[in-house]
Amino acid sequence: MFFQNVIKGELERYGATRGFRRSGTRLKGKREEALYKSNQCNQLAKDSKRKDDTYLIVAALIVTVTFAAGFTVPGGYESSDGPNKGMAVLRNKPSFIVFVIADMIALAYASAAVFLQFKFSPSEIDCERWLWYSKSNTHWNIRVALMAMVTAF
């Protein structure tokens, strides 16, 4: 009896609801299944909210840095009068070309991650789909953006 009270107390502490149990049968109605899915999904959404906020901050910082780096190119711009005025000084160097390509990849993927965070919110689509998009797409977009940013700089 002691262990039953301890287990009951722990379950109540974590928000479990009381229900009836029939031996040999399981209640499997659409309502019970929907309630279970909803509770499970809400708990997962709460757990992943903090991680998603961190992803959003990281993606926004990558967008900011790569956007600024696209305008303030390494080496500066040609300032002398002539046909190349306003062009990048290092435009013919292979390392500069790698910088520009990697910077644009980082900008594109980080922007996509920010867009996905706002597009797929749990209020707009079902929770399972939101968790899949939120976790997988945003995570991989940020990962690619970070690798491209490291390559660029």
Side-chain angles (χ1 to χ4, degrees):
M1 192 68 173
F2 172 74
F3 290 113
Q4 288 177 346
N5 289 335
V6 170
I7 291 171
K8 189 189 309 182
E10 288 295 313
L11 288 172
E12 288 174 355
R13 191 174 90 179
Y14 285 104
T17 58
R18 290 183 152 220
F20 296 103
R21 182 176 178 186
R22 293 184 186 173
S23 61
T25 62
R26 264 180 88 176
L27 296 174
K28 263 276 208 218
K30 288 184 179 180
R31 184 175 179 271
E32 288 83 8
E33 190 174 325
L35 185 62
Y36 173 74
K37 262 185 159 179
S38 175
N39 288 340
Q40 183 182 21
C41 197
N42 287 337
Q43 185 62 36
L44 288 172
K46 286 177 188 175
D47 292 343
S48 68
K49 178 83 170 106
R50 188 171 182 172
K51 189 181 225 180
D52 292 343
D53 290 344
T54 304
Y55 281 159
L56 186 60
I57 290 169
V58 169
L61 287 173
I62 293 171
V63 168
T64 304
V65 168
T66 56
F67 184 77
F71 285 107
T72 56
V73 295
Y77 298 101
E78 294 274 352
S79 60
S80 61
D81 289 334
N84 294 330
K85 185 176 183 178
M87 299 291 286
V89 173
L90 302 175
R91 69 184 172 278
N92 296 324
K93 303 260 184 196
S95 59
F96 179 75
I97 294 169
V98 169
F99 164 78
V100 170
I101 291 170
D103 189 57
M104 291 303 112
I105 290 171
L107 180 66
Y109 275 88
S111 298
V114 170
F115 173 75
L116 287 173
Q117 284 292 98
F118 286 119
K119 173 76 173 140
F120 298 108
S121 66
S123 61
E124 294 178 11
I125 59 175
D126 63 295
C127 191
E128 290 174 359
R129 203 168 142 204
W130 170 72
L131 286 171
W132 184 82
Y133 277 113
S134 174
K135 296 251 188 287
S136 63
N137 287 344
T138 305
H139 176 75
W140 286 106
N141 281 337
I142 290 175
R143 203 172 211 178
V144 170
L146 279 172
M147 288 187 287
M149 190 173 72
V150 168
T151 303
F153 296 108

